[in-house]
Amino acid sequence: MKLSLIIAWLLSFPLSSLAQNLKDMKTNQTSETEIRNVIENYYFKGIYEGNTDILAKAFYKDALLFGDVNGVPYFKTAKQYIEGVGSRVSPEKSGKEFNAVIISIDIINSIAVAKLNVRMYDFNYYNFITFNYIDGQWMIVNKTLTNVQP
């Protein structure tokens, strides 16, 4: 009898209100375009040119970066990372190869993850960039990276 009452009580709640609406979870084409813009015109361009003003526009001020470079642990704040980009010879000025591509972008509601491959100097970086939609714009809130030997 108790089990029947519990089941009846549970069935009285609409199940659709408990699950996220799948329609809302589909990739929003406008969001993907905006994220691609941030990656290509601020992140990639800032790295390539060594332009810290452009690069800083892609990052949330308290973003963190983690990973490893040739097995050595890597941790920086966005500020440290951007300063480092500004203090090195840019790939543009070095004349060395720079090839950066977006492998994938996944978006659900106000979060997104982009998988990128950035080849520069003698590095073959794979990045996982986490975005959050903050104050009307997509911003990088986290970056993880590793260098893969060819």
Side-chain angles (χ1 to χ4, degrees):
M1 177 69 168
K2 284 184 183 180
L3 182 58
S4 296
L5 288 174
I6 292 171
I7 292 172
W9 181 74
L10 287 173
L11 291 176
S12 69
F13 291 103
L15 294 177
S16 62
S17 67
L18 299 175
Q20 279 202 333
N21 186 339
L22 292 178
K23 184 179 89 180
D24 292 340
M25 293 179 61
K26 290 182 181 174
T27 300
N28 178 321
Q29 194 61 43
T30 302
S31 294
E32 183 171 338
T33 300
E34 291 171 355
I35 291 167
R36 284 184 179 279
N37 180 57
V38 171
I39 294 169
E40 293 169 353
N41 296 313
Y42 297 101
Y43 182 69
F44 287 163
K45 185 175 181 174
I47 293 169
Y48 176 68
E49 295 176 359
N51 186 326
T52 57
D53 291 333
I54 290 174
L55 185 59
K57 291 179 182 179
F59 283 88
Y60 179 68
K61 65 180 179 64
D62 294 323
L64 297 174
L65 295 81
F66 300 92
D68 69 86
V69 179
N70 299 328
V72 177
Y74 180 96
F75 169 78
K76 291 188 178 186
T77 64
K79 182 180 178 187
Q80 291 168 326
Y81 170 70
I82 294 164
E83 288 172 353
V85 168
S87 67
R88 70 175 186 219
V89 175
S90 71
E92 179 183 44
K93 289 184 181 161
S94 74
K96 293 194 175 196
E97 176 189 356
F98 180 85
N99 186 22
V101 295
I102 299 169
I103 297 169
S104 65
I105 298 174
D106 292 314
I107 306 166
I108 299 176
N109 298 327
S110 66
I111 62 168
V113 176
K115 181 179 178 182
L116 314 174
N117 180 232
V118 180
R119 292 176 181 251
M120 58 185 217
Y121 307 114
D122 295 324
F123 296 99
N124 180 26
Y125 290 116
Y126 280 87
N127 299 322
F128 291 92
I129 308 287
T130 305
F131 287 84
N132 193 245
Y133 194 70
I134 301 170
D135 295 330
Q137 60 184 343
W138 288 99
M139 303 192 78
I140 296 171
V141 295
N142 180 259
K143 172 183 169 180
T144 53
L145 67 128
T146 191
N147 179 48
V148 176
Q149 296 298 323

